[in-house]
């Protein structure tokens, strides 16, 4: 079965891409992912903020222990160099590039305008085939409105797009007031891939101790529905390729992604739980499903359940909401 | 050779640079002030820097200086070029091997940052008492007087030792030279290859032991031959002086810098000549030049080659006109006819007289003086005073200079106004705090100017004796000519005060020259600064016509993301207004230096510093100085009402930084000092202190338990005690049943708190409506200071609980007991002092402490004030520090002495029981002293005994009276850190554990040599970066507890109060109650771990929860009960080892240096943790067979002799 697709300008043998996750921190699992059929690799994100914080805290720790007393003017050895920038990440990128044949996309979570473009250039230099921008903006303050949030994001996109030759994708949050409009502008700004949506770490509350807990919760297929809806809405209206991430676990999940118009589906939780070999199981399952349902290729299926093509567009729209409420009240 | 590098470095770096590049191995051990030499060598080796033969020297740290020199001896015997670095007691530990090395005619140079040897007190500072003890070893001794010379003579010494085969001790003055930054022309590798000839190196190697050409050394010789054989080396010593002179000449040819073994400087027809070596010689020669220019006929002989003392050459250096010779010794040899160099000079003169070779014809008058002990200042004024004395008709034959001796009247008067410095030198003084980065910034400024411009620069840094909130004074000089002034600045053209509150107590402007620039960090707006100054400061500014600038550096720092570090800001201001460099040039240079210094720590750090520079310039303002002082604020000073006489007369002067003014008569003759004096210091170092919210408080006392400074304390008391309470004194009904009906108060000592935040962090009580707030919350200190001073004064008067009626002993109740260790100078957030404080709460009124040298001896016993204190009865810990290495043995000795006094008293009781009364004697002898109640009752019996004895006419009554207090049980504790317990003192500790005596050992385990600046110890865990383990320690931590358990008769506990404070209290109580040796290994978080110490408790918890630091108790008493003696008290592993590691810079930095190594080491740490826990788990299931069972299974033990030995 021909599962080939194109995403961010790359021809991919199948649409199931391992998403940004700790799986790429280890070369062994990177090789396993490729062996299992990964058509492309998205590396874990480098967080500019985390790097800055590491620099500041290391500097603080070394500084606070300096010049304190006549016997101990310092407390730590003085290495000539620390690897405090993205060097470690770039080195891993180089190693992955050397280890695999498929395209490798570096993932970047920046904070400052300079940081985004600077790091993107470094990633390109280190051999990245593309960059996925992970825009993770939580506008908690009352001082910033929705249009400013969008403008900031678009500026980052334009900046990075202008700074590198390689294709750029952007992973966005589901919390834009007008996601389709925003996606359109992102595409106009040069984005080749639109990744729906970021899953944030959610803090939980310990009610006994009045503290917050930070647990990593893996996704479930239930989370897919919101992504399907928005992908369905965007398909055909924007020029970028769409990838869905967050809740793709089964063959059926992957099929749905393609049906709403995505070119690819990114998997993380499913691979963390089942291991890299799960990719092969899913691609084989997709092939089988397509054969059983007499599709000739993946392309044939892409977008057939998008908002524009579905027979019941109202169910993606408000009707969907109405219907569920009604069925709930009846039961 | 024209392109030699100019670098601004201190002598430690300058010397290490030569030693490293000319060594194949270096074996080291940290000791102040020589530690940085080993640290540089280790750092360079870690960076794969090479010696001049293309190899990377092997740097190995040993367990002590004795170990280091043993290994050095071995390296040398193997024919390797080897060096070591040491000082003071460390040098003493090397002496036995020095005799061997010299006796075997082994080429070797050791570098010594000469330091005071501990006598009546320890001192880390500089004098020649250590090197003088090595005169008889057979080492040649070469003295350097400044940084450049130390660098140069390090190389000259190597050439001489290789050529002559006589080992060299090369020394320079500790701190004054070892830590003075100055401009140095660095010898290139090519220079060193020229100085150190390859043929000599080859010859040295050829003398090494090898089975391919076997020889034997270290024989035992008998009376028939030893003497002759000992004399066989004479020709080598005879040849040495010429070799030294030739190598110095060869060096001059190469570099243009001239050195001679005995150099005369001064008037050719001088009548008075001073003989001196070390940094004092530089002050002396500069002063001589100045006075000769004014017409005085004086001179100075700089002694460089001190051993062998070449009498002919020394005498030949004397001007023929010499009438009086003044020999200056930087050491004291009590009981000798004169100090060492004085005696050498006398010997030289007598020999020359007898040989009729004295150039002066007649024997000159020789007078001898002591100066500069423990880095006491030696200034041009003192040099002049000495020459003035020598010019008198009847000068003092023996004298001291630099102090006022009003007891034996040896000291000379000094005209302090005498000064030889010229006005073209910029002299700048900076008053800062250790924590604010002042010293670092100044070092940076010196390097900017010294390395990047044509100007010469010098820097020297003075610290006070505290670790938390330590004050620092930086002395910087800049000028067109080389700066040869190894003494502090007396008249400054620039003064910066980086901490506004210093103005309250210190005479910051005392050294300001007229018209000087004064820069102040003031937390006020430009137009408000003047009115906030104390009137005395205003008056000085006006009278000295100072140009006054101010900046609110803390606000600028905050805005630039620099936290509390104001270093870059104040440095920028200095450059902008001091006039050392053009302003724009200076700012560009600062930015370049920032890039260089912080670039390796990341772009973000550089960016924030750049921001700070730009904002500084915008926020500094010149303050208009009015014609008259108007302030209503007066400086406070240190004297306080109620101060004991000694504290007022002596200690308060020291607190004010004027200890130099105290005369000899002010001091105890034997180093004995009163306890309980920190309470008079009132340092006010905290910007914020905790404030108590009684309504939220759950009265757990955890805040008090963790407080490193005993600055937050709870009490329970009858409500009636509140009579007369200040109106805003807070108290609340006590909640738990044990003291039902009583009142509870928690009070902060506002002026003694260091603001470390540990108490707030540990507080478990939260305001339910706003969980951000706890039962204690940090608030600015200034606004509540006065109120809380009154409250704390009242609180201290409230009676403590009756310690005999404590319902139970646990972490909470322990805090109702009076701490007899308070307000120490330990780091804010220190992880050691809560244990020490607890010790004094539990046993303080009958406690004797033997304290190993280290952090605990410094915060425990560094002057001016000391933290061990007394209770209302006048009882409290008696404390003593012997050495670093001998503390276990020292404590055992105290135990033996006390036990003997007790036995003696018991014998006397029995002897004169008829006079005392059998019932009292019987009660005393059979007293149960296992509880507080039992001890209190015994104290009452001793009071009764004394009453009886007072009325007794028995001849031995007064003897018994003098011993009677020993009838009350004493608690003897041996305290020290891991450097002592795991390394240098382990032999003694092990031996004391092997003996059956009732001593208690508390190991304050910070897993690193904290006091000397973070060198690796055998306690340092795998994966931690430390000095001497710069790439991350590659081997596992030694398991001291397990080793102690192997004796099976010792009580052993591993504790971490942050994880389980009740467990800590239980272990302390069990150790004390166990009648035999006990050892507690206590996890102590430390500034050298590299994180904000307010998180210390959380990190301790993580250490235990991850299994890295298991809690356990091994109690031999359980064996007889048929139970396993080892109880694991932390079996539930809840956290990840890697999470623990990543929280601390010591581990995390390894990841940032070498991620692959970090992965390997952290994996090994995980594995080691699991293995250790598995082993303990197995052990905790082993119940030993009872004595009967053992006897039945092992017939050998029925043998009488064996059984007896076993007993």
């Amino acid at each position: 079965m021909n599962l080939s697709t194109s995403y961010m300008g790359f021809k991919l043998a199948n649409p199931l891409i391992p998403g940004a996750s700790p799986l790429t921190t280890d070369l062994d699992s990177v090789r396993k992912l490729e062996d299992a059929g990964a058509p492309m690799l998205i590396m874990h994100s480098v967080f500019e903020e985390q790097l800055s914080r590491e620099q500041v805290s290391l500097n603080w720790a070394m500084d606070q222990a300096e010049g304190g007393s006549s016997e101990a003017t310092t407390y730590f050895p003085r290495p000539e160099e620390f690897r405090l920038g993205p060097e470690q990440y770039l080195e891993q990128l180089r190693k992955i590039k050397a280890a695999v044949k498929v395209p490798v996309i570096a993932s970047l979570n920046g904070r400052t305008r300079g940081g985004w473009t600077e790091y993107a250039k470094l990633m390109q230099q280190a051999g990245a085939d593309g960059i996925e921008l992970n825009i993770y903006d939580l506008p908690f303050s009352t001082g910033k409105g929705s249009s400013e949030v969008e403008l900031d994001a678009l500026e980052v996109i334009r900046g990075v797009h202008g700074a590198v030759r390689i294709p750029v994708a952007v992973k966005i949050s589901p919390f834009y007031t007008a996601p389709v409009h925003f996606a359109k502008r992102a595409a106009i700004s040069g984005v080749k891939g639109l990744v729906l949506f970021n899953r944030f770490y959610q803090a939980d509350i310990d009610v006994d101790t009045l503290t917050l807990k930070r647990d990593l919760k893996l996704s479930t297929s239930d989370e897919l529905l919101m992504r399907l809806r928005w992908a369905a809405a965007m398909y055909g209206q924007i020029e970028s390729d769409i990838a869905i991430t967050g809740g793709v676990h089964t063959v059926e999940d992957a099929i749905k992604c393609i049906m709403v118009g995505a070119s690819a589906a990114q998997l993380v939780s499913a691979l963390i739980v089942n291991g890299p070999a799960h990719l092969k199981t899913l691609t084989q399952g997709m092939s089988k499903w397509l054969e059983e349902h007499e599709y000739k290729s993946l392309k044939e299926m892409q977008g057939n359940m998008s908002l524009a093509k579905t027979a019941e567009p109202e169910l993606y729209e408000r009707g969907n909401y109405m219907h569920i409420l009604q069925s709930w009240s009846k039961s | 050779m024209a392109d030699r590098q100019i670098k601004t470095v201190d002598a430690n770096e300058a010397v290490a640079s030569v030693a490293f590049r000319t060594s194949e191995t270096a074996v080291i051990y940290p000791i102040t002030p020589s530690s940085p030499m080993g640290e540089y060598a280790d750092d360079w080796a870690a960076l794969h820097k090479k010696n001049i033969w293309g190899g990377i020297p092997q740097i190995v740290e040993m367990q002590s200086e004795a170990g280091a020199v043993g290994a050095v001896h071995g390296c040398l015997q193997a024919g390797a070029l080897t060096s070591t670095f040491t000082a003071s007691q460390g040098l003493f530990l090397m002496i036995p091997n020095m005799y061997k090395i010299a006796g075997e005619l082994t080429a070797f140079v050791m570098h010594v940052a000469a330091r005071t040897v501990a006598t009546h007190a320890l001192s880390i500072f500089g004098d020649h008492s250590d090197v003088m003890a090595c005169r008889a070893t057979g080492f040649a001794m070469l003295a350097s007087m400044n940084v450049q010379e130390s660098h140069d003579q390090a190389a000259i010494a190597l050439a001489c030792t290789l050529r002559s085969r006589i080992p060299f001790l090369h020394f320079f003055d500790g701190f004054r030279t070892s830590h003075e930054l100055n401009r140095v022309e660095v010898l290139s590798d090519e220079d060193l290859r020229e100085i150190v000839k390859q043929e000599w190196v080859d010859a040295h190697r050829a003398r090494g032991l090898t089975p391919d050409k076997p020889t034997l050394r270290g024989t035992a010789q008998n009376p028939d031959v030893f003497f002759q054989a000992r004399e066989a080396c004479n020709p080598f010593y005879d040849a040495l002086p010429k070799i030294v002179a030739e190598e110095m000449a060869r060096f001059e040819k190469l570099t243009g810098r001239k050195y001679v073994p005995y150099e005369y400087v001064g008037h050719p027809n001088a009548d008075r000549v001073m003989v001196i070596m070390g940094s004092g010689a530089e002050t002396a020669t500069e002063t001589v030049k100045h006075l000769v220019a004014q017409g005085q006929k004086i001179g100075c002989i700089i002694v460089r080659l001190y051993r062998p003392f070449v009498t002919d050459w020394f005498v030949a250096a004397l001007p023929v006109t010499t009438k009086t010779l003044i020999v200056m010794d930087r050491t004291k040899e009590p009981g000798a006819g004169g100090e060492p160099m004085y005696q050498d000079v006398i010997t030289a003169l007598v020999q020359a007289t007898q040989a009729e070779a004295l150039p002066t014809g007649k024997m000159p008058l020789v007078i001898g003086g002591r100066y500069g002990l423990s880095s006491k200042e030696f200034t041009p004024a003192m040099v002049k005073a000495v020459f003035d004395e020598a010019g008198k008709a009847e000068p003092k034959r023996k004298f001291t200079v630099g102090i006022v001796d009003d007891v034996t009247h040896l000291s000379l008067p000094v005209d302090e106004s005498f000064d030889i410095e010229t006005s073209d030198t910029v002299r700048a003084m900076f008053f800062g705090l250790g924590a604010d980065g002042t010293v670092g910034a100044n070092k940076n400024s010196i390097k900017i100017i010294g390395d990047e411009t044509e100007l010469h620069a010098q820097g020297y840094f003075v610290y006070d004796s505290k670790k938390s909130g330590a004050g620092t004074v930086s002395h910087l000089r800049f000028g067109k000519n080389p700066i040869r002034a190894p003494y502090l600045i007396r008249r400054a053209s620039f003064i910066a005060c980086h901490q506004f509150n210093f103005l309250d107590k210190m005479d910051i402007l005392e050294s300001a020259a007229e018209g000087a620039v004064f820069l102040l960090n003031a937390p006020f707006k430009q137009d408000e600064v003047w009115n906030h100054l104390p009137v005395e400061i205003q008056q000085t500014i006006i009278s000295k016509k100072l140009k006054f600038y101010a900046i609110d550096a803390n606000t600028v720092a905050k805005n630039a993301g620099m936290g509390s570090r104001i270093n870059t800001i104040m440095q920028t201001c200095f450059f902008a207004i001091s006039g050392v460099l053009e302003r724009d040039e200076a700012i560009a240079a600062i930015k370049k230096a920032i890039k260089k210094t912080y670039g390796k720590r990341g772009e973000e750090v550089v960016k924030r510093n750049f921001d700070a520079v730009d904002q500084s310039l915008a926020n500094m303002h010149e303050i208009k100085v009015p014609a008259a002082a108007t302030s209503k604020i007066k400086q406070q000073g240190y004297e306080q009402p109620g101060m004991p006489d000694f504290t007022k007369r002596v200690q308060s002067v020291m607190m004010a930084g004027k200890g130099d003014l105290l005369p000899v008569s002010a001091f105890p003759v034997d180093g004995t000092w009163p306890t309980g004096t920190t309470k008079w210091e009132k340092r006010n170092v905290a910007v914020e202190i905790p404030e108590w919210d009684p309504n939220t408080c759950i009265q757990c006392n955890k805040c008090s338990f963790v407080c490193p400074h005993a600055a937050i304390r709870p009490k329970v008391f009858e409500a009636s005690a509140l009579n007369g309470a200040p109106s805003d004194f807070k108290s609340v009904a006590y909640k738990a049943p044990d003291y039902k009906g009583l009142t509870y108060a928690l009070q902060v000592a506002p002026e003694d708190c260091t603001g470390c935040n540990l108490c707030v962090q540990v507080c478990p009580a939260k305001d339910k409506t706003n969980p951000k707030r706890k039962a204690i919350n940090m608030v600015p200190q200034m606004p509540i200071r006065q109120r809380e001073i009154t409250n704390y004064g009242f609180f201290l008067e409230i009676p403590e609980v009756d310690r005999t009626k404590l319902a139970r002993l646990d972490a909470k109740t322990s805090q109702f007991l009076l701490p007899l260790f308070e307000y120490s100078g330990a780091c804010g957030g220190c992880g050691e002092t809560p244990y020490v404080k607890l010790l004094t709460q539990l046993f303080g009124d009958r406690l004797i402490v033997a304290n190993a040298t280290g952090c605990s001896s410094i915060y425990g016993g560094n002057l001016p004030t000391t933290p061990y204190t007394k209770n209302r009865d006048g009882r409290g810990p008696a404390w003593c520090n012997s050495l670093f290495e001998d503390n276990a043995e020292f404590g055992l000795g105290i135990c033996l002495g006390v036990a003997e006094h007790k036995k003696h008293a018991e014998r006397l009781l029995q002897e004169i029981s008829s006079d005392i009364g059998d019932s009292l004697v019987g009660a005393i002898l059979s007293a149960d002293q296992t509880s507080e109640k039992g001890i209190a009752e015994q104290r009452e019996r001793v009071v009764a005994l004394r009453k009886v004895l007072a009325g007794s006419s028995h001849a031995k009554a007064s003897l018994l009276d003098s011993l009677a207090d020993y009838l009350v049980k004493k608690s003897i504790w041996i305290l020290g850190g891991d450097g002592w317990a795991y390394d240098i003192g382990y032999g003694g500790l092990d031996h004391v554990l092997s003996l059956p005596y009732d001593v208690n050992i508390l190991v304050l385990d910070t897993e690193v040599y904290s006091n000397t600046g973070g060198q690796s110890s055998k306690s340092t865990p795998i994966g931690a970066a430390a000095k001497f383990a710069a790439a991350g320690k590659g081997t596992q931590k030694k398991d001291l507890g397990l080793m102690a358990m192997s004796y099976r008769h010792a009580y052993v506990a591993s504790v971490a109060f942050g994880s389980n404070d009740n467990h800590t209290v239980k272990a302390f109580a069990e150790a004390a109650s166990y009648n035999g040796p006990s050892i507690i290994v206590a996890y102590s978080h430390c500034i050298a771990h590299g994180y904000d110490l307010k998180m210390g408790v959380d990190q301790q918890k993580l250490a235990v929860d991850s299994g890295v630091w298991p809690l356990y108790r091994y109690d031999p008493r359980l064996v007889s009960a048929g139970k396993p003696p080892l109880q694991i008290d932390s079996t539930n592993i809840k956290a990840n080892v890697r999470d623990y590691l990543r929280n601390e810079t010591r581990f995390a930095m390894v990841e940032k240096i070498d991620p692959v190594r970090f992965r390997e080491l952290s994996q090994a740490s995980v594995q080691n943790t699991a293995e250790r826990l598995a082993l303990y788990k197995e052990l905790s299931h082993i119940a030993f067979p009872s004595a009967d069972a053992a006897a039945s299974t092992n017939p050998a033990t029925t043998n009488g002799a064996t059984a007896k030995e076993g007993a």
Side-chain angles (χ1 to χ4, degrees), chain A residues 25-26 48 51-85 88 91-92 95 111-112 209-211, chain B residues 32 39-40 43 47 49 124-125 175 434 463 470 472 565 598 600-605 608 766 768 771 858 1010-1014 1026-1027 1030 1087-1092 1145-1146 1149 1152-1153 1155 1159:
Chain A
T25 55
D26 178 48
E48 186 198 1
L51 293 178
S52 303
R53 193 172 295 174
E54 274 176 11
Q55 294 171 10
V56 171
S57 63
L58 181 86
N59 182 58
W60 179 88
M62 305 228 3
D63 262 2
Q64 70 140 4
E66 262 175 39
S69 85
S70 45
E71 290 207 73
T73 50
T74 63
Y75 281 98
F76 294 104
R78 290 154 285 206
E80 207 142 78
E81 200 145 16
F82 287 112
R83 297 145 70 107
L84 285 165
Q88 209 174 321
E91 198 170 311
Q92 182 68 5
K95 282 184 189 160
R111 187 171 58 95
T112 61
T209 61
L210 301 182
T211 51
Chain B
T32 307
E39 291 164 13
Y40 281 115
D43 281 348
L47 295 173
K49 293 199 173 174
I124 58 169
F125 294 99
F175 280 107
Y463 301 78
T472 60
R565 302 287 286 190
Y598 295 109
K600 63 185 81 159
R601 298 189 190 174
E603 276 306 310
E604 179 67 21
V605 179
R608 291 183 184 202
K766 286 178 184 157
K768 289 193 173 56
I858 297 304
S1010 301
N1011 191 48
T1012 47
K1027 291 173 183 170
I1087 191 168
H1089 297 174
Y1091 60 93
D1092 188 340
T1145 296
R1146 60 176 169 154
M1149 72 187 289
K1152 300 299 160 207
I1153 299 166
R1159 195 177 291 185

Side-chain angles (χ1 to χ4, degrees), chain B residues 277-463:
Chain B
M277 64 181 167
S279 64
E282 182 148 81
T283 308
T285 49
E286 291 302 303
T287 312
V288 163
K289 284 182 204 162
H290 178 88
L291 291 173
V292 167
Q294 293 184 352
Q296 290 218 33
K297 289 187 175 175
I298 57 171
C300 175
I301 293 180
I302 304 161
V303 174
R304 293 202 176 85
L305 183 63
Y306 179 60
R307 279 290 177 274
F309 197 83
V310 190
T311 54
D312 299 352
W313 290 2
F314 171 79
V315 168
L318 277 177
V320 294
T321 48
T322 309
K323 289 198 175 60
T324 305
L325 208 51
I326 315 143
V327 188
M328 300 296 290
D329 273 284
R330 199 163 199 158
T331 187
K332 179 176 172 70
E333 193 171 319
E339 263 55 49
M341 196 153 72
Y342 171 87
Q343 297 204 34
D344 289 319
V345 168
I346 294 279
T347 304
L349 293 174
V350 170
Q351 285 176 355
T353 306
Q354 289 172 347
E356 296 183 355
L358 199 59
T360 57
K362 192 177 156 223
M363 174 93 171
L365 174 66
V366 186
I367 63 174
R370 285 189 295 273
Y371 73 103
L373 297 198
S374 175
S375 287
K376 176 68 77 187
E377 277 282 275
F378 184 59
T379 62
M382 293 170 197
V383 175
K384 180 171 179 296
V386 171
F387 278 111
D388 289 349
E389 180 69 19
K392 289 181 181 167
E394 281 296 325
K396 286 183 176 173
R397 304 295 169 96
K398 290 181 181 175
F399 65 86
T400 56
V401 68
I403 56 171
V404 176
D405 176 2
D406 56 344
V407 175
T408 46
H409 306 288
L410 290 171
S411 61
L412 305 181
V414 174
D415 172 11
E416 293 292 350
S417 67
F418 177 75
D419 187 10
I420 63 170
E421 291 197 71
T422 51
S423 56
D424 56 359
T425 305
V426 173
R427 277 161 282 172
M429 288 172 76
F430 302 79
F431 295 80
L433 280 181
D436 66 20
T438 298
V439 168
N442 286 327
K443 286 186 174 172
N444 207 305
S445 299
I446 294 165
K447 283 177 188 278
I448 289 174
I449 294 166
D451 293 354
E452 309 286 336
T453 76
E454 291 301 307
L455 292 177
H456 288 264
Q458 179 210 41
Y460 189 73
F461 308 93
V462 178
Y463 301 78

Side-chain angles (χ1 to χ4, degrees), chain B residues 995-1018:
Chain B
L995 298 173
Y997 298 99
D998 186 11
V999 294
N1000 308 290
I1001 299 169
L1002 175 59
V1003 181
L1004 301 160
D1005 193 349
T1006 61
E1007 305 191 318
V1008 73
Y1009 285 80
S1010 301
N1011 191 48
T1012 47
Q1015 296 84 2
S1016 173
S1017 80
K1018 280 205 286 299

Side-chain angles (χ1 to χ4, degrees), chain B residues 26 63 142 162 221 279 310 337 417 470 476 494 537 565 637 647 673 770 998 1082 1086 1114 1124:
Chain B
Q63 88 286 9
L142 200 59
L162 284 167
Q221 300 181 349
S279 64
V310 190
S417 67
L476 272 57
F494 178 93
I537 297 288
R565 302 287 286 190
T647 307
W673 282 68
N770 180 8
D998 186 11
C1086 176
Y1114 179 98

